[in-house]
Amino acid sequence: MSQDFARLPQATQWQGSDFSSKSDVAVDLDEQAVAASLSRVRELAENGRNAVDLTQDDIPLSALAGQLTAVRQEILDGRGMVILCGFPVDQLSLQENEIFYWAVGLHLGRPVSQSVMGDRLGHVIDVSGKDKQARAYRNSEELTPHTDPADILAFLCLHPAETGGESIFASSQTVHEIMRCKRPDLLARLYKGYKWHRFGEQPEGFDPITPHRVPVYSEKDGLVSCRIVRQYIEIAADEYPDLALEPDDRAALGMFEELAKTDGIGFRFTLGPGECVVANNYTVLHARTAFEDGDDPARKRHLLRLWLESNPPRPVVPEVFIYGNGEPGIPPNPGKTPYYEHNIDII
């Protein structure tokens, strides 16, 4: 393919070295506006309402709407990452936290399914003691730089790990520009893309492997978007010999991954209770260091997660959709869990 790659907006090309701390990318939710909403949150919880059944009409956050509109704009058209602070997690029960977080999420986008279980409000906790082959977000191992199959992701920290669990966020646009300047030949490999293993979460009647190559980078209407989970590429190559990766493919994926993790390019931080990171999945990569929980099960690392469809949606090529439905998220498949037995250690 041509190596005349699109030039990317400067606003999206940040590096971790641009920030001295989390406060440089943080937005503090208006404390009075949050407090004013809590009586309604508690009322809904007392009445047994499930967060995922609620609409903006059920819990209007009009006093926060201006802040959340500005955050959404920054996510979609600017840097692509914001840390929202001031969620009153210590004042609320788990159900109440779910309701308030869901209400905030509805102002940022439309929640979509995160797995075959149909969970639109995810709980990121370590279940590896029960399920050794669970999808990566459900264990405590390192997660290498990747994107999720939605427009926007959001993680709210209810409780951090006892040790580890540091987040690494990086601009995929910055990585693109470095590779464009230093190794355009390897960048071209990423534009060509790879077939993915669907990790057992494909709809009934669909093949476990995508019929098309999923481009790591692609361009639509002048916007360059990124889609990558290296594990799924590696599983496909491991199980299907005709999809074996060539040395240049491994070099391209390796350079991409190392750049995203490099100190000064990746931005490293640990979310504390009540802090929520929101990011554009098409312009920002996220990763996580391994972590360990303490002995108290009530104090395990616990994040709430949302995958959101943006409005308006980002223009993207159809090949970025993994599950054959042309929509963000993972189609629900009742009775299945996010599990697939494999031999690949790359996460």
Side-chain angles (χ1 to χ4, degrees):
M1 64 167 289
S2 169
Q3 294 186 7
D4 294 329
F5 304 112
R7 298 299 179 97
L8 309 184
Q10 192 64 39
T12 65
Q13 295 179 51
W14 51 267
Q15 298 191 27
S17 58
D18 296 336
F19 314 124
S20 59
S21 69
K22 288 186 292 186
S23 62
D24 290 341
V25 299
V27 171
D28 292 316
L29 292 174
D30 183 273
E31 188 173 351
Q32 290 185 333
V34 171
S37 71
L38 295 189
S39 60
R40 178 58 175 161
V41 168
R42 293 188 174 104
E43 177 188 355
L44 290 165
E46 289 171 0
N47 290 332
R49 298 292 300 275
N50 291 325
V52 296
D53 296 327
L54 300 175
T55 68
Q56 286 192 33
D57 291 336
D58 292 312
I59 181 169
L61 298 179
S62 55
L64 289 172
Q67 274 193 309
L68 296 177
T69 296
V71 168
R72 185 175 67 246
Q73 196 72 21
E74 180 67 30
I75 296 302
L76 297 180
D77 300 322
R79 181 178 58 237
M81 181 183 68
V82 169
I83 296 176
L84 274 174
C85 302
F87 284 80
V89 297
D90 292 335
Q91 303 175 37
L92 303 176
S93 68
L94 177 58
Q95 184 182 8
E96 291 164 350
N97 273 310
E98 290 176 335
I99 290 172
F100 183 65
Y101 180 53
W102 180 264
V104 170
L106 291 176
H107 281 266
L108 301 175
R110 180 182 71 87
V112 299
S113 171
Q114 301 176 28
S115 76
V116 287
M117 297 186 297
D119 45 335
R120 292 185 294 148
L121 178 57
H123 290 258
V124 181
I125 53 177
D126 178 18
V127 299
S128 57
K130 303 175 183 177
D131 191 350
K132 296 295 185 182
Q133 299 287 350
R135 235 174 64 201
Y137 75 94
R138 305 177 79 216
N139 65 43
S140 61
E141 301 301 317
E142 175 189 5
L143 304 184
T144 57
H146 65 283
T147 63
D148 293 335
D151 300 338
I152 298 169
L153 68 90
F155 292 110
L156 170 64
C157 179
L158 300 181
H159 196 274
E162 183 169 287
T163 60
E166 182 181 37
S167 294
I168 306 168
F169 278 64
S171 167
S172 60
Q173 311 270 291
T174 296
V175 174
H176 179 284
E177 287 301 275
I178 294 172
M179 293 188 70
R180 183 181 66 81
C181 294
K182 293 187 174 182
R183 291 298 304 268
D185 58 320
L186 296 185
L187 182 59
R189 291 274 179 163
L190 300 184
Y191 268 87
K192 183 179 179 182
Y194 308 94
K195 291 194 174 185
W196 283 36
H197 202 293
R198 289 163 165 158
F199 209 71
E201 295 194 272
Q202 68 273 10
E204 293 294 337
F206 281 66
D207 290 335
I209 303 295
T210 58
H212 59 274
R213 288 177 174 266
V214 179
V216 177
Y217 285 112
S218 57
E219 185 271 332
K220 176 76 171 179
D221 295 349
L223 295 177
V224 171
S225 298
C226 183
R227 174 60 40 89
I228 177 72
V229 180
R230 186 173 178 179
Q231 182 191 37
Y232 295 171
I233 297 169
E234 295 278 2
I235 293 173
D238 180 65
E239 294 190 3
Y240 295 83
D242 58 325
L243 300 180
L245 299 175
E246 297 179 4
D248 280 353
D249 291 312
R250 293 197 176 278
L253 291 167
M255 182 177 183
F256 173 94
E257 192 171 280
E258 286 306 311
L259 284 171
K261 294 192 297 183
T262 298
D263 288 343
I265 295 178
F267 179 41
R268 306 176 74 102
F269 58 90
T270 300
L271 286 177
E275 295 178 341
C276 171
V277 60
V278 187
N280 186 326
N281 261 314
Y282 288 115
T283 66
V284 175
L285 303 159
H286 61 286
R288 184 199 70 206
T289 64
F291 67 88
E292 291 186 8
D293 285 318
D295 295 331
D296 184 354
R299 306 294 289 175
K300 291 181 66 171
R301 182 180 188 269
H302 191 172
L303 308 181
L304 297 182
R305 184 176 72 176
L306 289 172
W307 286 356
L308 303 167
E309 179 182 30
S310 63
N311 185 19
R314 183 181 180 89
V316 293
V317 299
E319 290 80 8
V320 303
F321 296 108
I322 311 304
Y323 298 97
N325 59 349
E327 296 181 358
I330 299 175
N333 197 336
K336 286 194 173 183
T337 57
Y339 167 96
Y340 185 78
E341 187 170 352
H342 60 89
N343 299 312
I344 299 298
D345 292 329
I346 297 172
I347 300 298

